[in-house]
Amino acid sequence: AQTVTQSQPEMSVQEAETVTLSCTYDTSESDYYLFWYKQPPSRQMILVIRQEAYKQQNATENRFSVNFQKAAKSFSLKISDSQLGDAAMYFCAYRSYNTDKLIFGTGTRLQVFP
Amino acid sequence: NAGVTQTPKFQVLKTGQSMTLQCAQDMNHEYMSWYRQDPGMGLRLIHYSVGAGITDQGEVPNGYNVSRSTTEDFPLRLLSAAPSQTSVYFCASRKSGTQNTGELFFGEGSRLTVL
């Protein structure tokens, strides 16, 4: 069975600095999606970034980028120039091409200090 | 477009009561699902549906029923609520077929407390 592990329950960063959130996963599949979702205090789940496993190039969305290491089964999220509005829970998630189930990690709570 | 709409947003039940959490989406998504979110456990899949008339169990289906009579609606029923079902519930949907990018679109969540 596939699993997603986020080993950092909490992280903190100062405004304008860079922070990296870790995620590892376990799968025997070769084709899959990986996602990072943000959950602010409003509770709404917001997609931050997605990566398809067949793409070697790391995905980037403005200040958010990933370091996707397929062989190591690692999918970290880097937030550059952190802003107060980045404070939230961040969830890493995995989905195989062959199933309809999205599997989530337990989340990392990010605090941003001014 | 409203996206994914969940009602109610908050609900308090007594043990043994029944209730239905409503979920509707206006994006013509074939796939719909229900997750529960508990502290320290992330989001866990309860039930999902790949189209009208088709449902299947997820990771934690016990105590919950679903049906999918239309593409738009996917209600989640608690037949006899238990304190262990106190949680935040999320409905989510996504595109299917060639338009499937894998991304789930979430509702705003429903906080349920069972006393």
Side-chain angles (χ1 to χ4, degrees):
Chain A
Q2 295 93 356
T3 58
V4 177
T5 301
Q6 293 179 250
S7 59
Q8 306 155 317
E10 292 189 1
M11 293 283 285
S12 61
V13 64
Q14 277 208 300
E15 207 174 0
E17 297 295 310
T18 296
V19 64
T20 299
L21 308 184
S22 300
C23 173
T24 59
Y25 57 95
D26 187 24
T27 183
S28 58
E29 304 277 350
S30 58
D31 295 321
Y32 48 86
Y33 301 97
L34 293 164
F35 306 89
W36 279 97
Y37 278 88
K38 171 185 178 181
Q39 186 181 41
S42 67
R43 220 168 53 195
Q44 180 76 47
M45 295 287 287
I46 303 164
L47 179 68
V48 175
I49 201 165
R50 63 187 288 271
Q51 174 87 38
E52 294 191 64
Y54 74 89
K55 292 184 178 178
Q56 294 186 340
Q57 186 172 7
N58 290 326
T60 299
E61 289 287 342
N62 300 315
R63 297 183 295 107
F64 299 87
S65 62
V66 298
N67 183 3
F68 172 48
Q69 301 288 330
K70 189 172 184 179
K73 298 179 183 175
S74 170
F75 184 60
S76 60
L77 175 69
K78 185 171 84 171
I79 307 174
S80 304
D81 186 25
S82 296
Q83 300 175 359
L84 295 177
D86 294 334
M89 282 288 287
Y90 286 82
F91 291 95
C92 179
Y94 164 98
R95 186 191 147 224
S96 165
Y97 279 19
N98 297 323
T99 75
D100 292 297
K101 301 177 184 179
L102 190 62
I103 301 168
F104 286 85
T106 52
T108 296
R109 182 173 301 281
L110 178 66
Q111 293 182 302
V112 182
F113 295 103
Chain B
N1 286 348
V4 179
T5 303
Q6 289 181 233
T7 56
K9 294 201 170 26
F10 299 93
Q11 183 72 48
V12 178
L13 290 177
K14 294 181 179 178
T15 297
Q17 286 185 318
S18 63
M19 78 155 300
T20 299
L21 296 176
Q22 301 291 345
C23 177
Q25 52 89 13
D26 60 359
M27 298 175 283
N28 202 31
H29 287 173
E30 293 187 355
Y31 177 87
M32 297 184 73
S33 56
W34 278 101
Y35 285 84
R36 60 177 289 174
Q37 182 180 19
D38 302 294
M41 302 190 75
L43 281 80
R44 293 180 293 168
L45 181 63
I46 304 171
H47 284 287
Y48 66 99
S49 169
V50 298
I54 306 169
T55 63
D56 206 347
Q57 296 182 346
E59 184 184 358
V60 287
N62 292 340
Y64 307 96
N65 281 351
V66 292
S67 59
R68 185 92 180 272
S69 56
T70 67
T71 299
E72 295 78 20
D73 301 298
F74 190 45
L76 179 71
R77 298 182 184 86
L78 286 72
L79 297 179
S80 179
S84 60
Q85 294 178 303
T86 294
S87 188
V88 179
Y89 292 85
F90 287 94
C91 180
S93 70
R94 65 165 170 79
K95 303 171 187 176
S96 297
T98 57
Q99 294 185 320
N100 179 12
T101 59
E103 174 190 353
L104 276 180
F105 295 81
F106 284 84
E108 295 182 347
S110 300
R111 180 177 293 277
L112 175 65
T113 301
V114 183
L115 303 176

